[in-house]
Structure formats: C-alpha cells, structure tokens
Amino acid sequence: MNIEQYGWNEEWNSKWTEKLKQDDRELEPGRIAGDFGSRYRVISGRGEIWGELSGKFRHSLTGSGDYPAVGDWVVLAMQDEGTHAVIHGILPRRSVISRKVAGQTQEEQIVASNVDTLFLVSALNDDFNVRRMERYLIMAWNSGANPVILLTKADLCTDAEEKMAEMERAAPGVPVHVVSALLRDGREALQPYLGSGQTVALTGSSGCGKSTMVNWLSGRNLQLTQDVREGDSRGRHTTTHRELFVLPDGGIIVDTPGMRELQLWEDEGGLDLAFGEISTLAADCRFSDCSHTREEGCAVLAAVASGTLEEKRLLNYRKTQKELQFQNSKEVKQKRKTVAAASKSKPPRSKGNSWQRVLDEY
C-alpha cells in the first residue's frame, strides 16, 4: 500500500519528522478513511486496517472536536503483526470543516479534515436554496479549504443557467459548476480539483446528489443512493457515516451524511468572506459600529435602496451574524465551565497539544 496515494507528501513527512525527531519507537503514519464510532478504518503503509484510540490518548481529549476525523493523519502503533493498530495521536490539521452538533449541546462536529477543496452541493430541483448556500460558504471559508459550488441534477432543470447566475451573485469569486451525473455532463470541469494527492470533500443537504457524485466520479458504485421524496424534493439519508475513497485519476474524495440543518460552529472570518460586498460597503458607513438596520449614513442600506445589494442577502447576513454572536457567547460560557470543572478535578497539565502529550507519556 502506497500512502502517497492518500495524500502523504513532503509537507506531511516534514511535520512527522519534526514531531517525532526525538522518538525512537516504532510508530507509523496512517490516514483516517472511515469513522465508525469506536473504531476507525485507517490507511497505512501496510494496507487498510482497523484502528482504536489508546486509553491515554482518549483520556487526554477534552471535546468531540479533538477526536480523529476522516482525513486526519494519525500516529499508529501496530498490533498483532500489523493486522490492526492503536492510535496515539493526530498530526496538526491543515484544514478543518466543522459544524455545531445538532440540538442544544455546545459541541463541535468535524465533517472532514485536511481537505483541499470543499464541494458545496445543491440540487437543481425544488430544494434549490441560495440562502442555505450562503451558510455553507461561511463553513467553507472558516475551514481553510477552497469552496466550489456544484449544482447537480441539471437534467431536472429547465433554467439551469439562470440558477447558476443567481448562485454566482450570492458567491462572488467562488467557482460554480452545473453537472448531471445522469447525462454524464460537466465532469471535465471538475478535473482540476481531482488531481493526484488532492483531497476533496462533498457536503450539502440530504438528497442533493453527493453519493451519486461519488459513484460518478469514481466510476464505481461505492455509495448507496436513493430517490428524493416526491412533492418536496427533500432527500432521504443514504450516507450514514463519513468515508474517504481514492478516485481513478488519483484524487481523494470524502462523502459525508446529508444535513437537514447546518448549525455553524464558530466564525474565523468566514462571515465577512461569504458576504464580502457587505463588508466592503460597511467601510463607507458613517458610524464604525453601524448595524446596517436604520442608521443614517449607512452605505449598506443605501446599496439596498439603489438595488445594487439584494435585501434578502442583507437579511440573511444579519440573521447569521446574530446567530454566530449568540453561538460564541454560549461557547465561551461552556468553555469556562469546562475549565473550572477540570481545575477542580485534575492537577495542572503540561502545555502543548493533546497528541504530543500522549506521545510523551507513551
């Protein structure tokens, strides 16, 4: 098994050498290819194996976002002549696609990591929704991956060019591609993202055609697919876990379960990037703390009045901004509670990230 096929390169080898340069133990790198709860499908230099977290590593993790995710490069200790492995840590991530877990729990859920390009998938049927895509763009920009919008099921749409133009207006500077797996149309435009060693991930609402895209791009039936519901074009959950596959052209693709609702985790500048023209206009507002609601001299409201900025886009910006501010306040409170509880129950720990502490103790 050649781990270079799964994205291992000089950059990762340099990180590995730097972190383990004073370690003479028999540890090997591997990449998480499937997350099945307590066990992980891992690609190593010895082939595809099952991996489990070591007790010390598991004990060092403070939140769900610290656990290995599909796409992570991990530190392995082989067991039983290489038939399975114990995972002792994670190499620092280059990009992290995450969301807040469903419900009221303040926890991060990692969709995929170390992704070069994030395909944001939207079907050209009754489920087409520009405002929803704006939320996905915030997640993409926050992740460190490059967003690309795929409008699927073009065979079901009679005004694909109009919808493409509408999406381009909502996502300035982001590539938008119209594709149809049924008609096998549009694949050549995706080739630049699928080169050898490049990792792409697909995300979108249920029924938008992600698994169909995986099968089409791979030329094999790797994932099960289902038809959307009649009447509302809403999808049924087909993919139940995240999984990584190698494509014939050498690219690596990650399929993820569909999302009924995307709850954003935090903002690392993604809001301003997704709504770039609003941020640019805001620089000309009379007041530096302008909320763009009713203030005099607001350049953003002036743009809405003149028709150069769509009012629905501004309303979605305001709504998402408030959501992120509220989310951040809850997250800060939760972190303070966690730190306070930990300080009462545990002695002080050495500084450094969790995986390095585990390696030092191993």
Side-chain angles (χ1 to χ4, degrees):
M1 174 66 69
N2 185 353
I3 60 174
E4 282 78 10
Q5 292 177 284
Y6 287 84
W8 186 260
N9 54 31
E10 286 300 321
E11 177 187 353
W12 289 111
N13 191 60
S14 177
K15 289 181 179 181
W16 177 272
T17 302
E18 178 64 25
K19 293 297 183 181
L20 300 176
K21 59 184 177 182
Q22 297 179 346
D23 199 310
D24 58 359
R25 293 167 293 180
E26 294 185 4
L27 300 170
E28 301 179 18
R31 193 172 196 188
I32 302 294
D35 181 354
F36 298 88
S38 62
R39 295 203 302 168
Y40 300 87
R41 188 167 65 86
V42 185
I43 303 298
S44 73
R46 306 190 191 197
E48 183 179 304
I49 58 176
W50 288 102
E52 297 180 2
L53 304 186
S54 71
K56 287 184 178 179
F57 181 39
R58 186 186 298 276
H59 181 69
S60 73
L61 305 178
T62 58
S64 58
D66 296 329
Y67 280 77
V70 171
D72 274 332
W73 286 101
V74 293
V75 180
L76 304 175
M78 295 298 176
Q79 303 289 321
D80 299 333
E81 299 182 350
T83 58
H84 74 277
V86 176
I87 300 171
H88 288 280
I90 305 172
L91 288 181
R93 293 159 173 154
R94 189 157 51 84
S95 63
V96 182
I97 301 164
S98 62
R99 56 175 286 193
K100 192 184 85 67
V101 298
Q104 300 301 314
T105 305
Q106 292 302 116
E107 287 282 352
E108 178 185 18
Q109 181 184 62
I110 297 180
V111 178
S113 67
N114 300 320
V115 170
D116 299 299
T117 302
L118 179 58
F119 284 163
L120 306 174
V121 186
S122 177
L124 288 168
N125 56 18
D126 291 341
D127 200 38
F128 178 83
N129 190 312
V130 173
R131 304 283 83 85
R132 183 195 300 139
M133 183 58 69
E134 290 171 343
R135 294 176 63 83
Y136 277 99
L137 280 167
I138 294 171
M139 179 181 71
W141 287 124
N142 283 335
S143 73
N146 295 315
V148 172
I149 297 174
L150 300 188
L151 302 181
T152 62
K153 306 185 181 182
D155 49 284
L156 301 178
C157 182
T158 58
D159 59 346
E161 290 188 3
E162 293 180 16
K163 283 186 166 60
M164 180 178 178
E166 185 179 358
M167 194 65 77
E168 287 175 335
R169 288 193 296 272
V174 177
V176 180
H177 301 288
V178 174
V179 298
S180 170
L182 180 65
L183 300 179
R184 309 183 71 81
D185 187 26
R187 192 183 195 282
E188 63 281 355
L190 306 183
Q191 289 303 119
Y193 313 111
L194 306 174
S196 180
Q198 296 186 63
T199 301
V200 300
L202 297 98
T203 190
S205 59
S206 300
C208 66
K210 298 186 303 299
S211 295
T212 299
M213 287 294 300
V214 170
N215 292 340
W216 179 42
L217 294 174
S218 67
R220 295 179 291 163
N221 289 324
L222 296 174
Q223 296 289 69
L224 294 174
T225 60
Q226 296 187 69
D227 294 331
V228 297
R229 296 196 309 248
E230 294 183 5
D232 61 3
S233 296
R234 297 300 297 274
R236 304 177 176 90
H237 286 295
T238 302
T239 302
T240 57
H241 55 266
R242 297 159 187 83
E243 199 160 4
L244 178 152
F245 305 98
V246 174
L247 299 174
D249 297 327
I252 302 121
I253 194 164
V254 181
D255 192 14
T256 65
M259 300 181 190
R260 293 295 189 197
E261 178 185 6
L262 171 60
Q263 296 190 49
L264 298 170
W265 170 239
E266 58 185 14
D267 186 31
E268 298 289 343
L271 180 68
D272 286 339
L273 287 171
F275 294 89
E277 79 279 30
I278 295 179
S279 300
T280 301
L281 288 166
D284 294 327
C285 290
R286 180 181 302 176
F287 304 106
S288 60
D289 60 347
C290 184
S291 64
H292 319 309
T293 53
R294 59 176 65 89
E295 295 90 342
E296 291 186 8
C298 175
V300 176
L301 292 178
V304 172
S306 67
T308 57
L309 176 65
E310 187 181 5
E311 184 177 18
K312 289 182 179 179
R313 184 161 167 81
L314 175 59
L315 293 175
N316 198 31
Y317 171 82
R318 289 178 188 160
K319 176 183 176 182
T320 309
Q321 184 183 51
K322 289 181 180 178
E323 176 187 339
L324 286 168
Q325 291 171 345
F326 179 68
Q327 164 68 18
N328 181 65
S329 66
K330 291 174 67 177
E331 183 185 345
V332 170
K333 290 180 182 178
Q334 183 65 38
K335 285 182 177 179
R336 287 175 178 171
K337 289 181 180 179
T338 301
V339 171
S343 63
K344 292 180 181 179
S345 60
K346 294 182 180 181
R349 302 187 67 126
S350 60
K351 293 183 179 180
N353 62 37
S354 59
W355 86 269
Q356 185 62 58
R357 292 199 303 268
V358 172
L359 288 176
D360 292 340
E361 298 169 0
Y362 174 59

